[in-house]
Amino acid sequence: AAIWSELLGVERVGVQDDFFVLGGHSLLATQLVSRIRRQLGVDLPLPKLFELRTLGDLGREVLARRLEEVGDTGSLLADLEGLTDEEALALLEEEGK
């Protein structure tokens, strides 16, 4: 929502708001894809924005793609729960570097 608000120059964006109805166009759509990639770490093909016109639809797509990258979250959580406190701290310190 913050990315949309900034790009479109609007104060508030709702879940059902349509990017193109709010003033979006192909150049802004290109900038949106670039910011989503940079800020959220998700590669989204530009044509997807013409299908996923509302903030809610786009948000669900971004979340789905992030979850695909993580893979089996149950397995990941099980691995994390099996760490000792020292191992968890070491991972956090390594992540912060």
Side-chain angles (χ1 to χ4, degrees):
I3 296 170
W4 278 35
S5 180
E6 185 178 324
L7 283 176
L8 298 169
V10 296
E11 190 174 315
R12 296 186 70 182
V13 179
V15 175
Q16 295 301 319
D17 285 339
D18 183 305
F19 181 77
F20 298 98
V21 171
L22 290 177
H25 48 75
S26 58
L27 180 59
L28 287 177
T30 303
Q31 293 176 14
L32 178 59
V33 167
S34 175
R35 289 188 190 194
I36 289 172
R37 181 180 312 112
R38 186 175 63 245
Q39 294 177 16
L40 303 175
V42 173
D43 276 325
L44 194 66
L46 182 60
K48 269 294 193 196
L49 289 183
F50 295 93
E51 295 171 31
L52 307 168
R53 298 171 62 106
T54 69
L55 181 60
D57 289 342
L58 183 59
R60 282 186 285 280
E61 180 72 15
V62 168
L63 179 60
R65 288 172 182 261
R66 293 285 306 263
L67 289 174
E68 282 177 11
E69 291 175 9
V70 172
D72 180 10
T73 56
S75 173
L76 178 62
L77 289 175
D79 290 345
L80 292 174
E81 288 174 354
L83 295 176
T84 65
D85 290 343
E86 293 80 20
E87 290 170 328
L89 286 172
L91 277 176
L92 289 172
E93 288 173 1
E94 184 65 30
E95 189 67 27
K97 292 180 182 178

Coordinates of all heavy atoms in Angstrom, one line a residue:
A1 N 0.8 -1.2 0.0 CA 0.0 0.0 0.0 C 0.9 1.3 0.0 O 0.6 2.2 -0.7 CB -0.9 0.0 1.2
A2 N 2.0 1.2 0.7 CA 2.9 2.4 0.8 C 3.5 2.6 -0.6 O 3.6 3.8 -1.0 CB 3.9 2.1 1.8
I3 N 3.8 1.6 -1.3 CA 4.4 1.8 -2.6 C 3.4 2.4 -3.6 O 3.7 3.4 -4.3 CB 4.9 0.4 -3.2 CG1 6.1 -0.1 -2.3 CG2 5.4 0.6 -4.6 CD1 6.5 -1.6 -2.7
W4 N 2.2 1.9 -3.5 CA 1.1 2.5 -4.4 C 0.9 3.9 -4.0 O 0.8 4.8 -4.9 CB -0.2 1.7 -4.2 CG -0.3 0.4 -4.9 CD1 0.6 -0.5 -5.2 CD2 -1.6 -0.1 -5.4 NE1 0.1 -1.5 -5.9 CE2 -1.2 -1.3 -6.0 CE3 -2.9 0.3 -5.4 CZ2 -2.2 -2.1 -6.6 CZ3 -3.8 -0.5 -6.0 CH2 -3.5 -1.7 -6.6
S5 N 0.8 4.2 -2.7 CA 0.5 5.6 -2.3 C 1.6 6.5 -2.8 O 1.2 7.6 -3.3 CB 0.4 5.6 -0.8 OG 0.2 6.9 -0.3
E6 N 2.8 6.1 -2.7 CA 3.9 7.0 -3.1 C 3.9 7.2 -4.6 O 4.0 8.3 -5.1 CB 5.2 6.4 -2.7 CG 6.4 7.3 -3.0 CD 7.7 6.7 -2.4 OE1 7.7 6.1 -1.4 OE2 8.7 6.8 -3.1
L7 N 3.8 6.1 -5.4 CA 3.8 6.1 -6.8 C 2.6 6.9 -7.4 O 2.8 7.7 -8.4 CB 3.8 4.7 -7.5 CG 5.1 4.0 -7.4 CD1 4.9 2.6 -8.0 CD2 6.2 4.7 -8.2
L8 N 1.4 6.7 -6.8 CA 0.2 7.3 -7.3 C -0.1 8.7 -6.8 O -0.9 9.4 -7.2 CB -1.0 6.4 -7.1 CG -0.9 5.0 -7.8 CD1 -2.0 4.1 -7.3 CD2 -1.0 5.2 -9.3
G9 N 0.7 9.1 -5.7 CA 0.5 10.4 -5.1 C -0.8 10.5 -4.4 O -1.4 11.6 -4.4
V10 N -1.3 9.4 -3.8 CA -2.5 9.4 -3.0 C -2.2 9.1 -1.6 O -1.3 8.4 -1.3 CB -3.6 8.4 -3.6 CG1 -4.0 8.8 -5.0 CG2 -3.0 7.0 -3.6
E11 N -3.0 9.7 -0.7 CA -2.7 9.5 0.7 C -3.0 8.1 1.3 O -2.3 7.6 2.0 CB -3.6 10.5 1.5 CG -3.2 10.6 3.0 CD -3.9 11.8 3.7 OE1 -4.0 12.9 3.1 OE2 -4.4 11.5 4.8
R12 N -4.2 7.6 0.8 CA -4.6 6.2 1.3 C -5.0 5.4 0.2 O -5.5 5.8 -0.8 CB -5.8 6.4 2.3 CG -5.4 7.2 3.5 CD -6.5 7.2 4.5 NE -6.6 5.8 5.1 CZ -7.5 5.5 5.9 NH1 -8.4 6.3 6.4 NH2 -7.6 4.3 6.4
V13 N -4.7 4.1 0.3 CA -5.0 3.1 -0.7 C -5.8 1.9 0.0 O -5.3 1.4 1.1 CB -3.8 2.5 -1.4 CG1 -4.2 1.5 -2.4 CG2 -3.0 3.6 -2.0
G14 N -6.9 1.6 -0.5 CA -7.7 0.5 0.1 C -7.5 -0.8 -0.6 O -7.0 -0.9 -1.8
V15 N -7.8 -1.9 0.0 CA -7.6 -3.2 -0.5 C -8.3 -3.5 -1.9 O -7.8 -4.1 -2.7 CB -8.1 -4.3 0.5 CG1 -8.0 -5.7 -0.1 CG2 -7.3 -4.2 1.8
Q16 N -9.5 -2.8 -2.0 CA -10.2 -3.0 -3.3 C -9.9 -1.9 -4.3 O -10.5 -2.0 -5.4 CB -11.7 -3.0 -3.0 CG -12.2 -4.2 -2.1 CD -11.8 -5.5 -2.8 OE1 -12.0 -5.7 -4.0 NE2 -11.3 -6.5 -2.0
D17 N -9.0 -1.0 -4.0 CA -8.7 0.0 -5.0 C -7.9 -0.6 -6.2 O -7.1 -1.5 -6.1 CB -7.8 1.1 -4.3 CG -8.6 2.0 -3.4 OD1 -9.8 2.1 -3.6 OD2 -8.0 2.7 -2.6
D18 N -8.3 0.0 -7.4 CA -7.7 -0.5 -8.6 C -6.5 0.5 -9.0 O -6.7 1.7 -9.0 CB -8.8 -0.4 -9.7 CG -8.3 -0.9 -11.0 OD1 -7.3 -0.4 -11.6 OD2 -9.0 -1.9 -11.6
F19 N -5.4 -0.1 -9.2 CA -4.2 0.7 -9.6 C -4.4 1.7 -10.7 O -4.0 2.8 -10.7 CB -3.0 -0.3 -9.9 CG -1.7 0.4 -10.2 CD1 -0.9 0.9 -9.2 CD2 -1.3 0.5 -11.5 CE1 0.3 1.5 -9.5 CE2 -0.1 1.1 -11.8 CZ 0.7 1.6 -10.8
F20 N -5.1 1.2 -11.8 CA -5.3 2.0 -12.9 C -6.4 3.0 -12.8 O -6.3 4.1 -13.3 CB -5.5 1.1 -14.2 CG -4.3 0.2 -14.4 CD1 -4.3 -1.1 -14.0 CD2 -3.2 0.7 -15.0 CE1 -3.1 -1.9 -14.2 CE2 -2.0 -0.1 -15.2 CZ -2.0 -1.4 -14.8
V21 N -7.4 2.7 -12.0 CA -8.4 3.7 -11.7 C -7.9 4.9 -10.9 O -8.3 6.0 -11.0 CB -9.6 3.0 -11.0 CG1 -10.6 4.0 -10.5 CG2 -10.3 2.0 -11.9
L22 N -6.9 4.5 -10.0 CA -6.3 5.6 -9.2 C -5.3 6.4 -9.9 O -4.7 7.3 -9.3 CB -5.6 4.9 -8.0 CG -6.5 4.3 -6.9 CD1 -5.7 3.7 -5.8 CD2 -7.4 5.3 -6.3
G23 N -5.1 6.2 -11.2 CA -4.2 7.0 -12.0 C -3.0 6.2 -12.5 O -2.1 6.9 -13.1
G24 N -2.9 5.0 -12.2 CA -1.7 4.2 -12.7 C -1.7 4.1 -14.2 O -2.8 4.1 -14.8
H25 N -0.5 3.9 -14.8 CA -0.4 3.7 -16.2 C 0.8 2.8 -16.4 O 1.5 2.4 -15.4 CB -0.3 5.0 -17.0 CG 0.7 6.0 -16.4 ND1 2.1 5.8 -16.5 CD2 0.5 7.1 -15.6 CE1 2.7 6.8 -15.8 NE2 1.8 7.6 -15.3
S26 N 1.2 2.5 -17.6 CA 2.2 1.5 -17.9 C 3.6 1.9 -17.3 O 4.3 1.1 -16.8 CB 2.3 1.2 -19.4 OG 2.6 2.4 -20.1
L27 N 3.9 3.2 -17.4 CA 5.2 3.6 -16.8 C 5.2 3.4 -15.3 O 6.2 2.9 -14.7 CB 5.5 5.1 -17.2 CG 6.8 5.6 -16.6 CD1 8.0 4.8 -17.1 CD2 7.0 7.1 -17.0
L28 N 4.1 3.8 -14.6 CA 4.1 3.6 -13.2 C 4.0 2.1 -12.8 O 4.6 1.7 -11.8 CB 2.8 4.3 -12.6 CG 2.9 5.8 -12.5 CD1 1.6 6.4 -12.0 CD2 4.1 6.3 -11.6
A29 N 3.4 1.3 -13.7 CA 3.3 -0.1 -13.4 C 4.8 -0.7 -13.5 O 5.1 -1.6 -12.7 CB 2.5 -0.8 -14.5
T30 N 5.6 -0.2 -14.4 CA 7.0 -0.7 -14.5 C 7.7 -0.3 -13.2 O 8.5 -1.1 -12.7 CB 7.7 0.0 -15.7 OG1 6.9 -0.4 -16.9 CG2 9.1 -0.5 -15.9
Q31 N 7.5 0.9 -12.7 CA 8.1 1.4 -11.5 C 7.6 0.5 -10.3 O 8.4 0.2 -9.4 CB 7.9 2.8 -11.2 CG 8.5 3.7 -12.2 CD 8.2 5.2 -12.0 OE1 7.6 5.6 -11.0 NE2 8.5 6.0 -13.0
L32 N 6.4 0.2 -10.3 CA 5.8 -0.6 -9.2 C 6.5 -2.0 -9.2 O 6.9 -2.5 -8.1 CB 4.3 -0.8 -9.4 CG 3.5 -1.7 -8.4 CD1 3.7 -1.1 -7.0 CD2 2.1 -1.7 -8.8
V33 N 6.6 -2.6 -10.3 CA 7.3 -4.0 -10.4 C 8.7 -3.9 -9.9 O 9.2 -4.7 -9.1 CB 7.2 -4.5 -11.9 CG1 8.2 -5.7 -12.0 CG2 5.8 -4.9 -12.3
S34 N 9.4 -2.8 -10.3 CA 10.8 -2.6 -9.8 C 10.8 -2.4 -8.3 O 11.7 -3.0 -7.6 CB 11.3 -1.4 -10.5 OG 12.6 -1.1 -10.0
R35 N 9.9 -1.6 -7.7 CA 9.9 -1.4 -6.3 C 9.5 -2.7 -5.5 O 10.1 -3.0 -4.4 CB 9.0 -0.3 -5.9 CG 9.6 1.0 -6.3 CD 8.8 2.2 -5.8 NE 9.3 3.4 -6.4 CZ 9.0 4.6 -6.0 NH1 8.2 4.7 -4.9 NH2 9.4 5.7 -6.6
I36 N 8.6 -3.5 -6.1 CA 8.2 -4.7 -5.4 C 9.4 -5.6 -5.4 O 9.7 -6.3 -4.4 CB 7.0 -5.4 -6.1 CG1 5.7 -4.6 -5.9 CG2 6.8 -6.8 -5.7 CD1 4.5 -5.0 -6.7
R37 N 10.2 -5.7 -6.5 CA 11.4 -6.5 -6.5 C 12.4 -6.1 -5.5 O 12.9 -6.8 -4.7 CB 12.0 -6.5 -7.9 CG 13.2 -7.4 -8.1 CD 13.8 -7.3 -9.5 NE 12.8 -7.5 -10.5 CZ 12.5 -6.6 -11.4 NH1 13.0 -5.4 -11.3 NH2 11.6 -6.8 -12.3
R38 N 12.6 -4.7 -5.5 CA 13.7 -4.2 -4.6 C 13.3 -4.2 -3.1 O 14.0 -4.6 -2.3 CB 14.0 -2.8 -5.0 CG 15.1 -2.1 -4.3 CD 15.5 -0.7 -4.8 NE 14.4 0.2 -4.7 CZ 13.8 0.8 -5.7 NH1 14.1 0.5 -6.9 NH2 12.8 1.7 -5.4
Q39 N 12.0 -3.9 -2.8 CA 11.6 -3.7 -1.4 C 11.1 -5.0 -0.8 O 11.2 -5.3 0.4 CB 10.6 -2.6 -1.3 CG 11.2 -1.3 -1.6 CD 10.1 -0.2 -1.5 OE1 9.0 -0.3 -0.9 NE2 10.4 1.0 -2.0
L40 N 10.5 -5.9 -1.6 CA 9.8 -7.1 -1.1 C 10.5 -8.3 -1.6 O 10.2 -9.4 -1.1 CB 8.3 -7.1 -1.5 CG 7.5 -5.9 -1.1 CD1 6.1 -6.0 -1.6 CD2 7.5 -5.8 0.5
G41 N 11.5 -8.2 -2.5 CA 12.2 -9.4 -3.0 C 11.4 -10.3 -3.8 O 11.7 -11.5 -3.9
V42 N 10.4 -9.8 -4.5 CA 9.5 -10.7 -5.4 C 9.6 -10.2 -6.8 O 9.4 -9.0 -7.1 CB 8.1 -10.6 -4.9 CG1 7.1 -11.4 -5.8 CG2 8.0 -11.2 -3.5
D43 N 9.9 -11.1 -7.7 CA 9.9 -10.8 -9.1 C 8.5 -11.1 -9.7 O 8.0 -12.2 -9.6 CB 10.9 -11.7 -9.9 CG 12.3 -11.2 -9.8 OD1 12.5 -9.9 -9.9 OD2 13.3 -12.0 -9.8
L44 N 7.9 -10.0 -10.1 CA 6.6 -10.1 -10.7 C 6.6 -9.6 -12.1 O 7.0 -8.5 -12.4 CB 5.7 -9.2 -9.8 CG 4.2 -9.3 -9.9 CD1 3.7 -10.7 -9.4 CD2 3.5 -8.2 -9.1
P45 N 6.1 -10.5 -13.0 CA 6.1 -10.1 -14.4 C 5.2 -8.9 -14.6 O 4.1 -8.9 -14.0 CB 5.6 -11.3 -15.2 CG 5.6 -12.4 -14.2 CD 5.6 -11.8 -12.8
L46 N 5.5 -7.9 -15.4 CA 4.7 -6.7 -15.6 C 3.3 -7.1 -16.1 O 2.4 -6.4 -15.6 CB 5.4 -5.8 -16.6 CG 4.7 -4.5 -16.9 CD1 4.6 -3.6 -15.7 CD2 5.5 -3.7 -18.0
P47 N 3.1 -8.0 -17.0 CA 1.7 -8.3 -17.4 C 0.8 -8.7 -16.3 O -0.4 -8.6 -16.4 CB 1.9 -9.4 -18.4 CG 3.3 -9.3 -19.0 CD 4.1 -8.8 -17.8
K48 N 1.4 -9.3 -15.2 CA 0.6 -9.7 -14.0 C -0.2 -8.5 -13.5 O -1.3 -8.6 -12.9 CB 1.4 -10.3 -13.0 CG 1.6 -11.8 -13.0 CD 0.2 -12.4 -12.8 CE 0.4 -13.9 -12.6 NZ -0.8 -14.6 -12.7
L49 N 0.4 -7.3 -13.5 CA -0.2 -6.1 -12.9 C -1.5 -5.8 -13.7 O -2.4 -5.2 -13.1 CB 0.7 -4.9 -13.0 CG 1.9 -5.0 -12.0 CD1 2.6 -3.7 -12.1 CD2 1.4 -5.2 -10.6
F50 N -1.6 -6.2 -14.9 CA -2.8 -5.9 -15.7 C -3.9 -6.9 -15.3 O -5.1 -6.6 -15.6 CB -2.5 -5.8 -17.2 CG -1.6 -4.7 -17.5 CD1 -0.2 -4.9 -17.6 CD2 -2.1 -3.4 -17.8 CE1 0.6 -3.8 -17.9 CE2 -1.3 -2.3 -18.1 CZ 0.1 -2.6 -18.1
E51 N -3.6 -8.0 -14.8 CA -4.5 -9.0 -14.3 C -4.9 -8.7 -12.8 O -6.0 -8.9 -12.4 CB -3.9 -10.4 -14.4 CG -3.6 -10.9 -15.7 CD -2.8 -12.2 -15.7 OE1 -3.0 -13.0 -14.7 OE2 -2.0 -12.4 -16.6
L52 N -3.9 -8.4 -12.0 CA -4.1 -8.2 -10.6 C -4.2 -6.7 -10.3 O -3.2 -6.1 -9.8 CB -2.9 -8.8 -9.8 CG -2.6 -10.3 -10.2 CD1 -1.3 -10.7 -9.6 CD2 -3.7 -11.2 -9.7
R53 N -5.3 -6.1 -10.6 CA -5.4 -4.7 -10.6 C -5.6 -4.1 -9.2 O -5.3 -2.9 -9.0 CB -6.5 -4.2 -11.5 CG -6.2 -4.6 -13.0 CD -7.4 -4.4 -13.9 NE -7.8 -3.0 -13.9 CZ -7.6 -2.2 -15.0 NH1 -7.0 -2.7 -16.0 NH2 -8.0 -1.0 -14.9
T54 N -6.2 -4.9 -8.3 CA -6.5 -4.3 -7.0 C -5.3 -4.6 -6.0 O -4.6 -5.6 -6.2 CB -7.8 -4.9 -6.3 OG1 -7.6 -6.3 -6.0 CG2 -9.0 -4.7 -7.3
L55 N -5.2 -3.8 -5.0 CA -4.2 -4.0 -4.0 C -4.3 -5.3 -3.3 O -3.3 -6.0 -3.1 CB -4.2 -2.9 -2.9 CG -3.2 -2.9 -1.8 CD1 -1.8 -2.8 -2.4 CD2 -3.4 -1.8 -0.8
G56 N -5.5 -5.8 -3.0 CA -5.7 -7.1 -2.4 C -5.2 -8.2 -3.3 O -4.6 -9.1 -2.8
D57 N -5.6 -8.2 -4.5 CA -5.2 -9.2 -5.5 C -3.7 -9.3 -5.6 O -3.1 -10.3 -5.6 CB -5.8 -9.0 -6.8 CG -7.3 -9.3 -6.8 OD1 -7.8 -10.0 -5.9 OD2 -8.0 -8.9 -7.8
L58 N -3.1 -8.1 -5.7 CA -1.6 -8.0 -5.9 C -0.9 -8.5 -4.6 O 0.1 -9.2 -4.7 CB -1.2 -6.6 -6.2 CG 0.3 -6.4 -6.5 CD1 0.8 -7.3 -7.6 CD2 0.6 -4.9 -6.7
G59 N -1.5 -8.1 -3.5 CA -0.9 -8.5 -2.2 C -0.9 -10.1 -2.0 O 0.1 -10.7 -1.6
R60 N -2.0 -10.7 -2.4 CA -2.1 -12.1 -2.3 C -1.1 -12.8 -3.3 O -0.5 -13.8 -2.9 CB -3.5 -12.6 -2.7 CG -4.5 -12.4 -1.5 CD -5.9 -13.0 -1.8 NE -6.7 -12.2 -2.7 CZ -7.3 -11.1 -2.4 NH1 -7.3 -10.7 -1.2 NH2 -8.0 -10.5 -3.3
E61 N -0.9 -12.2 -4.4 CA 0.1 -12.8 -5.4 C 1.5 -12.7 -4.8 O 2.3 -13.6 -4.9 CB 0.0 -12.1 -6.7 CG 0.9 -12.6 -7.8 CD 0.6 -14.0 -8.3 OE1 -0.5 -14.5 -8.1 OE2 1.5 -14.6 -8.9
V62 N 1.8 -11.5 -4.3 CA 3.2 -11.3 -3.7 C 3.4 -12.3 -2.6 O 4.4 -12.9 -2.5 CB 3.3 -9.8 -3.3 CG1 4.6 -9.6 -2.4 CG2 3.4 -8.9 -4.5
L63 N 2.4 -12.4 -1.7 CA 2.5 -13.3 -0.6 C 2.7 -14.8 -1.1 O 3.6 -15.5 -0.6 CB 1.3 -13.2 0.3 CG 1.3 -14.2 1.5 CD1 2.5 -13.9 2.5 CD2 0.0 -14.0 2.3
A64 N 1.9 -15.2 -2.1 CA 2.0 -16.5 -2.6 C 3.4 -16.8 -3.2 O 4.0 -17.8 -2.9 CB 1.0 -16.8 -3.7
R65 N 4.0 -15.8 -3.9 CA 5.3 -16.0 -4.4 C 6.4 -16.0 -3.3 O 7.4 -16.7 -3.5 CB 5.6 -14.8 -5.4 CG 4.8 -15.0 -6.7 CD 5.0 -13.8 -7.6 NE 4.2 -14.0 -8.8 CZ 4.6 -14.4 -10.0 NH1 5.9 -14.7 -10.1 NH2 3.8 -14.6 -11.0
R66 N 6.2 -15.2 -2.3 CA 7.2 -15.3 -1.2 C 7.1 -16.6 -0.5 O 8.2 -17.2 -0.1 CB 6.9 -14.2 -0.1 CG 7.1 -12.8 -0.6 CD 8.5 -12.3 -0.6 NE 9.3 -12.5 0.6 CZ 9.5 -11.6 1.5 NH1 9.0 -10.4 1.4 NH2 10.3 -11.9 2.5
L67 N 5.9 -17.2 -0.3 CA 5.8 -18.5 0.3 C 6.4 -19.6 -0.6 O 7.0 -20.6 0.0 CB 4.3 -18.8 0.6 CG 3.7 -18.0 1.8 CD1 2.2 -18.3 1.9 CD2 4.4 -18.3 3.1
E68 N 6.3 -19.5 -1.9 CA 6.9 -20.4 -2.8 C 8.4 -20.5 -2.6 O 9.0 -21.5 -2.7 CB 6.6 -20.1 -4.2 CG 5.2 -20.5 -4.7 CD 4.9 -20.0 -6.1 OE1 5.9 -19.6 -6.8 OE2 3.8 -20.1 -6.5
E69 N 9.0 -19.3 -2.4 CA 10.4 -19.2 -2.2 C 10.9 -19.9 -0.9 O 11.9 -20.5 -0.9 CB 10.9 -17.7 -2.2 CG 10.7 -17.0 -3.5 CD 11.1 -15.6 -3.4 OE1 11.6 -15.1 -2.3 OE2 10.8 -14.8 -4.4
V70 N 10.0 -19.8 0.1 CA 10.4 -20.4 1.4 C 10.2 -21.9 1.3 O 11.0 -22.7 1.9 CB 9.4 -19.9 2.5 CG1 9.6 -20.6 3.8 CG2 9.7 -18.4 2.7
G71 N 9.3 -22.4 0.5 CA 9.1 -23.8 0.4 C 8.3 -24.4 1.5 O 7.3 -23.8 1.9
D72 N 8.7 -25.5 2.0 CA 8.0 -26.2 3.1 C 8.2 -25.5 4.4 O 9.2 -25.7 5.1 CB 8.5 -27.6 3.2 CG 7.8 -28.4 4.2 OD1 6.8 -27.9 4.8 OD2 8.2 -29.5 4.5
T73 N 7.3 -24.6 4.8 CA 7.5 -23.8 6.0 C 7.4 -24.7 7.3 O 8.0 -24.4 8.2 CB 6.4 -22.7 6.1 OG1 5.1 -23.3 6.0 CG2 6.6 -21.7 5.0
G74 N 6.6 -25.8 7.2 CA 6.6 -26.7 8.4 C 7.9 -27.3 8.7 O 8.4 -27.3 9.8
S75 N 8.6 -27.7 7.6 CA 10.0 -28.2 7.8 C 11.0 -27.2 8.3 O 11.8 -27.4 9.2 CB 10.5 -28.8 6.5 OG 11.8 -29.1 6.5
L76 N 10.8 -26.0 7.8 CA 11.7 -24.8 8.2 C 11.4 -24.5 9.7 O 12.4 -24.4 10.5 CB 11.4 -23.6 7.4 CG 12.2 -22.3 7.7 CD1 13.7 -22.5 7.6 CD2 11.7 -21.2 6.9
L77 N 10.2 -24.5 10.1 CA 9.9 -24.2 11.5 C 10.4 -25.3 12.4 O 10.9 -25.0 13.5 CB 8.3 -24.0 11.7 CG 7.8 -22.7 11.1 CD1 6.3 -22.7 11.2 CD2 8.4 -21.5 11.8
A78 N 10.3 -26.5 12.0 CA 10.8 -27.7 12.8 C 12.3 -27.5 13.0 O 12.8 -27.8 14.1 CB 10.4 -29.0 12.1
D79 N 13.0 -27.2 11.9 CA 14.4 -27.0 12.0 C 14.8 -25.9 13.0 O 15.7 -26.0 13.8 CB 15.0 -26.6 10.6 CG 15.0 -27.8 9.7 OD1 14.8 -28.9 10.1 OD2 15.2 -27.6 8.5
L80 N 14.0 -24.8 12.9 CA 14.3 -23.6 13.8 C 14.0 -24.0 15.3 O 14.7 -23.6 16.2 CB 13.4 -22.4 13.4 CG 13.8 -21.8 12.1 CD1 12.9 -20.7 11.7 CD2 15.3 -21.2 12.1
E81 N 12.9 -24.8 15.5 CA 12.6 -25.1 16.9 C 13.6 -26.1 17.5 O 13.8 -26.1 18.7 CB 11.2 -25.8 16.9 CG 10.1 -24.8 16.7 CD 8.7 -25.5 16.6 OE1 8.6 -26.7 16.5 OE2 7.7 -24.7 16.5
G82 N 14.3 -26.8 16.6 CA 15.3 -27.7 17.1 C 16.7 -27.1 17.5 O 17.6 -27.7 18.0
L83 N 16.8 -25.8 17.3 CA 18.0 -25.1 17.6 C 18.2 -24.8 19.1 O 17.2 -24.5 19.7 CB 18.1 -23.7 16.8 CG 18.2 -23.8 15.3 CD1 18.1 -22.4 14.8 CD2 19.4 -24.5 14.8
T84 N 19.4 -24.8 19.5 CA 19.6 -24.4 20.9 C 19.6 -22.9 20.9 O 19.6 -22.2 19.9 CB 21.0 -24.8 21.4 OG1 22.0 -24.2 20.6 CG2 21.2 -26.3 21.3
D85 N 19.5 -22.3 22.1 CA 19.5 -20.8 22.2 C 20.8 -20.2 21.6 O 20.7 -19.2 20.9 CB 19.4 -20.4 23.7 CG 18.1 -20.7 24.3 OD1 17.1 -20.9 23.5 OD2 17.9 -20.7 25.5
E86 N 21.9 -20.9 21.8 CA 23.2 -20.4 21.3 C 23.2 -20.4 19.8 O 23.6 -19.5 19.1 CB 24.4 -21.2 21.8 CG 24.6 -21.0 23.3 CD 23.6 -21.9 24.2 OE1 23.1 -22.8 23.7 OE2 23.5 -21.5 25.4
E87 N 22.6 -21.5 19.2 CA 22.6 -21.6 17.7 C 21.6 -20.5 17.1 O 21.9 -19.9 16.1 CB 22.1 -23.0 17.3 CG 23.1 -24.1 17.6 CD 22.5 -25.5 17.5 OE1 21.3 -25.7 17.7 OE2 23.3 -26.4 17.1
A88 N 20.5 -20.3 17.8 CA 19.6 -19.3 17.3 C 20.2 -17.9 17.4 O 20.1 -17.1 16.4 CB 18.3 -19.3 18.2
L89 N 20.9 -17.6 18.4 CA 21.6 -16.3 18.5 C 22.6 -16.1 17.5 O 22.8 -15.1 16.9 CB 22.2 -16.1 19.9 CG 21.2 -15.8 21.1 CD1 21.9 -15.9 22.4 CD2 20.5 -14.5 20.8
A90 N 23.4 -17.2 17.2 CA 24.4 -17.2 16.2 C 23.8 -16.9 14.8 O 24.3 -16.1 14.0 CB 25.2 -18.5 16.2
L91 N 22.7 -17.5 14.5 CA 22.0 -17.3 13.3 C 21.5 -15.8 13.1 O 21.6 -15.2 12.1 CB 20.8 -18.2 13.1 CG 21.0 -19.6 12.6 CD1 19.8 -20.4 12.6 CD2 21.7 -19.6 11.2
L92 N 20.9 -15.3 14.2 CA 20.5 -13.9 14.2 C 21.6 -12.9 14.0 O 21.5 -12.0 13.3 CB 19.7 -13.6 15.5 CG 18.4 -14.2 15.7 CD1 17.8 -14.0 17.1 CD2 17.4 -13.7 14.6
E93 N 22.8 -13.2 14.7 CA 23.9 -12.4 14.5 C 24.5 -12.4 13.1 O 24.8 -11.4 12.5 CB 25.0 -12.8 15.5 CG 24.7 -12.4 16.9 CD 25.7 -13.0 17.9 OE1 26.7 -13.6 17.5 OE2 25.5 -12.7 19.2
E94 N 24.5 -13.6 12.5 CA 24.9 -13.8 11.1 C 24.0 -13.1 10.2 O 24.5 -12.4 9.2 CB 25.0 -15.3 10.8 CG 25.5 -15.6 9.4 CD 27.0 -15.2 9.3 OE1 27.8 -15.2 10.3 OE2 27.4 -14.8 8.1
E95 N 22.7 -13.1 10.4 CA 21.7 -12.5 9.6 C 21.9 -11.0 9.6 O 21.7 -10.3 8.6 CB 20.3 -12.8 10.0 CG 19.2 -12.3 9.1 CD 19.2 -13.0 7.7 OE1 19.7 -14.1 7.6 OE2 18.8 -12.3 6.7
G96 N 22.3 -10.4 10.7 CA 22.5 -9.0 10.9 C 23.7 -8.4 10.2 O 23.8 -7.2 10.1
K97 N 24.6 -9.3 9.8 CA 25.9 -8.8 9.2 C 25.7 -8.4 7.7 O 24.9 -8.8 7.1 CB 26.9 -9.9 9.3 CG 27.4 -10.1 10.7 CD 28.4 -11.2 10.8 CE 28.8 -11.4 12.2 NZ 29.8 -12.5 12.4

